[in-house]
Amino acid sequence: MTTAVHTIELLRFNTCGSVDDGKSTLIGRLLYDSKSLMEDQIEALERSADLTGGGQINLANLTDGLRAEREQGITIDVAYRYFATPRRKFIVADTPGHVQYTRNMVTGASTANLSVVLVDARQGVIEQSRRHTCIASLLRIPHLVIAVNKMDLADWSEARFLEIRAEFETFLPRLDIKDVKFIPMSALNGDNVVEPSRHTPWFPGPTLLGHLESVHIGSDWNLAAFRLPVQWVNRPHQPRDPRLHDFRGFSGQIAGGIVRVGQRVMVLPGGWKSTVRQIWTLDGPLDEAFCPQSVTLVLDDDLDVSRGDTIVGMESLPGLNSELQARICWMHPRPLVRGRKFLLKHGTQTVPAVVSSIENRIHVATYEPEPEPADLVMNDIGEIRLKTGRPLVFDGYATNRMTGAFILVEPGINATVAAGMLHPPLEPVRPEYNDFAI
Amino acid sequence: MSSYHLDHLQYLETEAIHVLREVAAEFERPVLLFSGGKDSICLLRLAEKAFRPSELPMPFLNVETGHEFPELIEFRDRRARELGARLLVRSVEDAFASGIATPTPGQVSRNQLQIPVLLAAIEEFHFDCCIGGARRDEEKARAKERFFSFRDAFGQWDPKNQRPEIWNLYNARLNPGENMRVFPLSNWTEMDVWEYIRRERLEVPSIYFSHTRECFRRGGQWLPLPPPHTDANRPDPYAGARPRPNETVKTLVVRVRTIADMVSTGMMESPASSVEDIIAEVAAARVTERGSRADDRASEAAMEDRKKAGYF
């Protein structure tokens, strides 16, 4: 580890909104105005502008990189962009607004610290705005920006801005979003994106980039309860170094909390207890490690631990169950019906699972649940009950985005058909019973 | 600021290690594509971080065009030896002989021809996963790429039908004959790579640093002068890549920013002689890294087309 005086933080965000709300233009504008574009990229834009755009540079062409996207003028798939200012580095997922590709919005948003939902000032809040806000909330994205775009086409009206804001505020309290910021802008002309706009004297700021640079993200990781899903068992078979003959390390990315040398830990689902002897890294042993570091733990006792097991701290124990309840976003053209069997990947474990019931479908327009629907179709969000072939060691998604998430994979075609967020366990695992069971 | 905090390089590192360990755990026969370039150098260090003190659980593969810089080949072979890894090499030259690939009339660059050679190597060794050092910031078709990029039995990439990739839960499942390309450096930028090389004190081949070289001007680029053709019994592998009478040769102080083969790597005039110098140069650069790759200039969708055909 270096001891840099000045460390640069990374902020991941995604942009979403309906088709033609100007997402790609906004990202193009952010890159252009923050001087993150290179001369050859600008030249390429100008070249294609001469060919197709009647001489006007189309900033959206920066992110719409596929032939089919340029043909249709829409974003089909998530594009990732990278830029930096002296204060932060940014990873932007430009996620599609087209209804057919909502699954890609979930893809882009699942790793984000912040979501930018674009709203066309003329259109106001439409179903896609509600859908994307709802998905941001379900995914527990900590920060939300509502970018009221195309304000130039709404005469820079403060009244219009406040009207849209008021409309959002009627349903935001029903969602799980703590931090929401409203910014009026014109992505096309660059107002309030990087530079403050002279058209909005009534808006105190900040600009979008100003907000992205300063929003507090330090506490977005879960540091409360230690969780290490074991990814790979590090067992040198032909070590050149005889001291490694007995080396058995459990490698993985810490999904929650902090671990220290000498700490008591438990391996689930087995329930065996041990003590952390060493936190091994290539750069030398650590005294402690924390989420989301990738490490290798060596334990005091020789336990039978393999991929799919979870090493946890003794406090705030997770749930352990094969009957689960979860919210899912269905992503496949073939609808989900009760009784379908899947492979469920959770942490480092893949288990067979069956959908035992579909409890409801959540209407993204009203946030009201429709009880017991016959099926969930593509882009639906609903609650289901699952039974898994082996019990999962899990937390509620609201507590931990890593140990509370799963995907469903359809066997045979191997498509990823759903993203799932687990409800919290009804009761934590009780280690004394597990001890007895060995 | 809390002490439980990762800076952006540490974050990119932990993400890449997680991806590499998923590969080791989920695939039967993975292989790491190692060219000796700066991105794959970072990839090797990350693999060490992911798997030491064990041996690296996959061999290395390099597909040669036959137009390689000798400095790069020397570096590649030595690093593989030092790391105790098995290095497999397949070449476009050999593929001509065995009929896997056919020289394209009028085409000097063999970039396209690496595709059938890579696909043949995947079949020959039954690789189910190829780990590559590609980054999304390189090119806009790359920007659409997943960490786990599914390829069908013909090696094809279908950008309209990619698997959703959610959280850090990668769907690695394949049917027989299918293949996964995995890119642990997806979220890295050119600057990140050089900063990581500095932080980890990684060795890089000498051609990244300023040196004297004979070059000639073509297509707005300074291209390196190929080595002389000595074997009269074989056709000149650099035919078409030698200066024409109207193209004058100059001795310049140059370095490379990105390395393809000798016929498509634009040399840049630069005095940068250390990693520090390079970082300062990248920070001040006004053109992208790929701006010096002749193979990407073919058309606006050159990379997309190559990826659809099975290129990594």
Side-chain angles (χ1 to χ4, degrees):
Chain A
M1 302 279 150
T2 55
T3 49
V5 186
H6 178 65
T7 58
I8 300 246
E9 274 185 317
L10 183 70
L11 178 94
R12 303 187 63 146
F13 69 99
N14 75 302
T15 55
C16 44
S18 194
V19 186
D20 292 333
D21 278 351
K23 296 171 300 296
S24 302
T25 307
L26 176 64
I27 292 178
R29 177 57 67 186
L30 265 174
L31 297 172
Y32 196 82
D33 284 4
S34 65
K35 304 195 167 36
S36 309
L37 287 183
M38 300 290 181
E39 280 167 8
D40 54 327
Q41 290 173 308
I42 296 170
E43 274 171 32
L45 274 182
E46 285 166 353
R47 259 204 316 276
S48 62
D50 288 340
L51 289 175
T52 56
Q56 174 113 25
I57 285 185
N58 183 356
L59 287 169
N61 272 352
L62 274 176
T63 50
D64 289 341
L66 301 173
R67 276 183 202 279
E69 291 177 325
R70 287 194 298 272
E71 275 162 23
Q72 300 175 48
I74 61 167
T75 309
I76 289 173
D77 205 341
V78 186
Y80 293 89
R81 294 289 146 182
Y82 304 82
F83 70 102
T85 67
R87 298 177 64 182
R88 269 189 183 155
K89 287 232 172 196
F90 299 95
I91 301 179
V92 195
D94 179 16
T95 48
H98 202 275
V99 171
Q100 191 184 345
Y101 298 107
T102 297
R103 59 180 197 171
N104 292 326
M105 189 229 143
V106 175
T107 294
S110 67
T111 51
N113 306 90
L114 181 147
S115 259
V116 179
V117 175
L118 273 109
V119 178
D120 184 327
R122 298 165 303 172
Q123 309 257 344
V125 180
I126 57 169
E127 177 157 331
Q128 274 299 77
S129 331
R130 285 168 170 268
R131 182 192 295 274
H132 289 152
T133 311
C134 178
I135 293 170
S137 161
L138 289 169
L139 288 166
R140 299 261 168 182
I141 295 172
H143 313 279
L144 186 69
V145 172
I146 309 292
V148 182
N149 193 26
K150 305 195 182 182
M151 283 298 291
D152 52 326
L153 302 179
D155 298 327
W156 297 103
S157 157
E158 182 182 18
R160 181 61 183 145
F161 176 69
L162 293 176
E163 196 177 80
I164 291 170
R165 181 179 172 145
E167 206 177 333
F168 264 99
E169 282 171 346
T170 59
F171 61 88
L172 281 177
R174 276 180 278 166
L175 302 179
D176 295 308
I177 300 175
K178 301 281 178 286
D179 174 30
V180 186
K181 186 97 199 155
F182 291 83
I183 301 177
M185 65 176 63
S186 162
L188 192 66
N189 302 318
D191 293 81
N192 288 333
V193 178
V194 172
E195 300 295 332
S197 171
R198 60 185 171 85
H199 297 113
T200 53
W202 42 267
F203 178 68
T207 63
L208 177 62
L209 184 67
H211 183 61
L212 294 174
E213 279 187 315
S214 58
V215 61
H216 178 70
I217 53 168
S219 49
D220 288 357
W221 291 101
N222 180 326
L223 293 172
F226 174 61
R227 306 280 186 263
L228 181 84
V230 175
Q231 221 186 341
W232 193 70
V233 178
N234 195 323
R235 186 98 171 91
H237 290 294
Q238 296 166 316
R240 294 173 224 160
D241 183 347
R243 282 170 303 178
L244 292 177
H245 278 217
D246 299 322
F247 187 93
R248 244 166 75 86
F250 305 111
S251 300
Q253 185 171 26
I254 299 174
I258 300 160
V259 63
R260 297 183 178 88
V261 172
Q263 180 180 335
R264 290 290 284 169
V265 292
M266 185 162 55
V267 181
L268 292 172
W272 306 295
K273 290 169 194 158
S274 187
T275 303
V276 177
R277 182 190 297 170
Q278 196 187 53
I279 304 170
W280 197 97
T281 74
L282 189 73
D283 305 305
L286 301 176
D287 293 330
E288 62 176 7
F290 55 93
C291 175
Q293 285 183 306
S294 285
V295 293
T296 298
L297 295 191
V298 180
L299 302 182
D300 264 344
D301 304 271
D302 216 5
L303 303 178
D304 173 20
V305 183
S306 48
R307 176 172 166 88
D309 290 345
T310 308
I311 302 176
V312 303
M314 305 301 288
E315 312 285 325
S316 317
L317 291 167
L320 176 65
N321 212 321
S322 53
E323 308 263 355
L324 304 160
Q325 201 170 347
R327 274 194 185 140
I328 62 164
C329 175
W330 186 252
M331 301 178 150
H332 200 259
R334 187 139 67 100
L336 170 68
V337 293
R338 194 168 59 87
R340 288 276 300 280
K341 287 182 179 158
F342 299 100
L343 294 165
L344 181 151
K345 185 168 184 183
H346 168 260
T348 57
Q349 175 165 250
T350 303
V351 298
V354 60
V355 174
S356 40
S357 69
I358 301 175
E359 301 283 290
N360 62 46
R361 178 197 335 260
I362 298 164
H363 273 271
V364 290
T366 59
Y367 303 107
E368 295 299 328
E370 169 199 343
E372 295 176 40
D375 57 13
L376 292 180
V377 301
M378 186 142 97
N379 299 315
D380 272 351
I381 289 162
E383 281 179 49
I384 60 167
R385 283 178 190 277
L386 286 156
K387 183 158 174 48
T388 53
R390 285 193 298 277
L392 295 191
V393 176
F394 71 101
D395 296 289
Y397 184 78
T399 322
N400 189 319
R401 267 168 95 177
M402 287 167 102
T403 53
F406 65 86
I407 55 171
L408 293 180
V409 176
E410 171 136 5
I413 59 170
N414 294 330
T416 303
V417 293
M421 291 147 277
L422 290 162
H423 285 207
L426 295 175
E427 54 169 4
V429 58
R430 286 196 277 178
E432 59 273 29
Y433 295 153
N434 282 290
D435 267 0
F436 212 70
I438 303 164
Chain B
M1 194 173 286
S2 146
S3 59
Y4 298 111
H5 163 82
L6 298 182
D7 70 23
H8 82 279
L9 278 186
Q10 290 167 330
Y11 175 82
L12 293 173
E13 179 187 73
T14 188
E15 178 182 67
I17 292 172
H18 175 263
V19 168
L20 283 165
R21 286 173 175 165
E22 282 299 283
V23 169
E26 295 257 353
F27 294 94
E28 304 265 324
R29 295 176 71 88
V31 66
L32 192 150
L33 303 177
F34 178 52
S35 65
K38 63 183 188 310
D39 302 312
S40 53
I41 288 168
C42 285
L43 210 49
L44 290 196
R45 170 53 52 97
L46 291 162
E48 284 196 280
K49 293 215 181 198
F51 304 120
R52 294 297 188 212
S54 286
E55 301 291 307
L56 303 185
M58 65 271 296
F60 298 169
L61 171 68
N62 186 217
V63 176
E64 290 184 350
T65 60
H67 294 158
E68 273 71 22
F69 290 90
E71 298 96 320
L72 211 64
I73 300 285
E74 182 278 325
F75 181 87
R76 178 197 74 187
D77 294 350
R78 180 163 53 79
R79 282 304 286 149
R81 232 178 7 254
E82 286 165 0
L83 291 167
R86 181 177 171 214
L87 173 68
L88 306 163
V89 176
R90 288 294 176 269
S91 77
V92 173
E93 289 277 300
D94 293 345
F96 289 160
S98 62
I100 293 168
T102 315
T104 318
Q107 176 91 305
V108 180
S109 169
R110 292 178 177 175
N111 204 309
Q112 288 276 1
L113 297 168
Q114 285 178 296
I115 299 169
V117 184
L118 174 63
L119 297 179
I122 288 170
E123 268 190 49
E124 179 186 353
F125 296 102
H126 305 285
F127 293 131
D128 49 5
C129 173
C130 303
I131 307 164
R135 311 187 320 265
R136 288 177 182 145
D137 84 318
E138 285 177 82
E139 209 280 337
K140 55 188 174 182
R142 291 252 201 249
K144 299 277 173 180
E145 189 56 274
R146 303 281 199 253
F147 273 90
F148 280 57
S149 176
F150 172 79
R151 306 301 169 94
D152 68 12
F154 295 94
Q156 299 178 103
W157 180 59
D158 179 2
K160 277 192 172 179
N161 193 24
Q162 300 197 73
R163 291 178 180 177
E165 210 160 78
I166 311 142
W167 300 291
N168 62 351
L169 297 170
Y170 302 107
N171 173 359
R173 298 187 65 84
L174 295 175
N175 289 323
E178 296 169 344
N179 188 263
M180 199 71 82
R181 309 289 166 82
V182 174
F183 306 111
L185 304 184
S186 287
N187 280 333
W188 296 48
T189 64
E190 181 187 16
M191 185 58 117
D192 297 330
V193 164
W194 282 111
E195 286 183 337
Y196 195 70
I197 286 170
R198 170 170 64 179
R199 183 177 285 190
E200 296 290 319
R201 298 191 180 86
L202 301 178
E203 190 197 346
V204 296
S206 56
I207 55 171
Y208 280 113
F209 301 114
S210 157
H211 59 281
T212 307
R213 188 181 289 270
E214 285 192 297
C215 301
F216 68 100
R217 193 82 180 161
R218 180 179 293 174
Q221 293 183 316
W222 285 110
L223 292 178
L225 197 67
H229 181 53
T230 47
D231 187 351
N233 297 319
R234 290 178 57 205
D236 179 5
Y238 291 98
R242 298 188 183 284
R244 297 171 194 133
N246 61 340
E247 293 168 333
T248 46
V249 176
K250 259 179 117 169
T251 304
L252 298 173
V253 176
V254 291
R255 67 177 203 89
V256 297
R257 185 162 169 203
T258 175
I259 306 178
D261 54 18
M262 285 187 89
V263 304
S264 50
T265 300
M267 310 295 293
M268 61 190 282
E269 290 187 84
S270 161
S273 60
S274 67
V275 173
E276 292 289 338
D277 293 347
I278 292 174
I279 287 173
E281 208 173 79
V282 170
R286 294 307 310 143
V287 292
T288 60
E289 184 186 349
R290 285 261 162 191
S292 61
R293 295 271 284 247
D295 37 334
D296 287 340
R297 295 191 158 193
S299 84
E300 183 153 33
M303 176 70 83
E304 180 181 348
D305 294 341
R306 270 181 284 153
K307 286 168 67 65
K308 281 179 176 166
Y311 191 69
F312 85 93

